[in-house]
Amino acid sequence: IDLKDQDVYRNIFHEGKWAGIFQFTNSGAQSFCREAKPESIVDIAAITSIYRPGPLGAGVHNQYVDAKKGHHHVDYPQKIVEKVTRETCGFLIFQEQIALLAHLLGKDISLDEGNKLRKLLTKKGTGEGQKEKDKIYRKFIYGCQQKRMLSSEAEELWSKFEYFSGYGFNKSHAISYSLLSYQCAYLYNYYPAEWMAAFLDKEPEKRKQKAISIAKGAGFEIKQVDVNKSGVEWAVESDTVLIQPLS
């Protein structure tokens, strides 16, 4: 399926059609998504990565929405920083971004060292870990200076590493989950009646009444059980009519 189909993003994620959409059953996540208006898989991944206690507590969700809407110009201190963080509006959201920036900007910092830095930043202490971190820090600042960044800009970026490392999320994990969210949205967009019938069928009994209300709110007519038409599962009579099952 086309992962860049903007009809899917607009009709489902922007309009707020959430029936059975993976990762978006929480009202807070739904509200944040509608504000952020994703236009790509990476956008969905960023939204779901930000919607966690750490980033929310730091107000990253509001800053991200502002940046996404273009309320303020995102200032990139260096082309490499722009290349790595443009897809997340200048924010360090994914753990891989910290590792990659350390590798690309630092002096002789391997990708392995960059990944090690990500782990070291989340730990406190003054032992061997701190010595390793200090060593990578010196190579990072020196490399940034060689690439014509001001010392103050390099220091500020390092501070961001430390700040965001506390809640940076794994990008490969977030992307994989976001693909599932998009697949749900794609099916809902192009096969709404079939999707809604499947949603009603799979929702547990304790949430069934709420699910029926969601379906009615989406414009579907719910027909009562009919011995001539009902089967074991929810059935589709037409594009806007669903039939309750005998089960």
Side-chain angles (χ1 to χ4, degrees), residues 199-200 207-219 222:
F199 167 64
L200 289 167
R207 296 205 302 263
K208 197 73 77 180
Q209 199 53 53
K210 183 181 178 182
I212 290 171
S213 296
I214 290 172
K216 288 179 177 177
I222 306 296

Side-chain angles (χ1 to χ4, degrees), residues 155-222:
E155 292 278 2
E156 186 181 351
L157 185 55
W158 182 269
S159 295
K160 286 183 177 178
F161 284 1
E162 294 185 309
Y163 180 67
F164 283 97
S165 67
Y167 52 74
F169 202 70
N170 184 274
K171 183 179 181 181
S172 56
H173 180 98
I175 292 288
S176 301
Y177 271 38
S178 296
L179 283 168
L180 292 175
S181 298
Y182 181 84
Q183 288 169 340
C184 293
Y186 184 94
L187 290 170
Y188 190 5
N189 188 60
Y190 288 108
Y191 307 95
E194 289 81 0
W195 177 261
M196 191 61 74
F199 167 64
L200 289 167
D201 198 56
K202 298 306 175 189
E203 279 293 272
E205 204 59 43
K206 62 182 179 182
R207 296 205 302 263
K208 197 73 77 180
Q209 199 53 53
K210 183 181 178 182
I212 290 171
S213 296
I214 290 172
K216 288 179 177 177
F220 289 95
E221 179 188 344
I222 306 296

Side-chain angles (χ1 to χ4, degrees), residues 116-176:
K116 184 183 287 184
L117 171 64
R118 173 187 65 75
K119 295 175 182 176
L120 290 170
L121 286 170
T122 61
K123 297 174 182 175
K124 306 292 182 187
T126 56
E128 288 301 313
Q130 185 62 42
K131 288 178 184 176
E132 276 193 271
K133 187 163 74 170
D134 290 342
K135 180 184 172 185
I136 297 172
Y137 165 78
R138 288 191 292 272
K139 291 202 290 184
F140 177 75
I141 298 298
Y142 183 59
C144 287
Q145 290 169 337
Q146 281 193 320
K147 294 174 180 67
R148 303 194 176 193
M149 279 179 72
L150 298 173
S151 294
S152 58
E153 291 175 330
E155 292 278 2
E156 186 181 351
L157 185 55
W158 182 269
S159 295
K160 286 183 177 178
F161 284 1
E162 294 185 309
Y163 180 67
F164 283 97
S165 67
Y167 52 74
F169 202 70
N170 184 274
K171 183 179 181 181
S172 56
H173 180 98
I175 292 288
S176 301

Side-chain angles (χ1 to χ4, degrees), residues 74-102:
V74 179
D75 187 24
Y76 300 99
Q78 211 267 2
K79 285 289 183 186
I80 292 173
V81 179
E82 181 177 4
K83 180 183 176 183
V84 174
T85 65
R86 174 175 282 281
E87 66 179 9
T88 52
C89 301
F91 291 93
L92 291 172
I93 292 171
F94 304 122
Q95 293 170 349
E96 288 89 335
Q97 289 174 310
I98 292 175
L100 188 57
L101 281 173

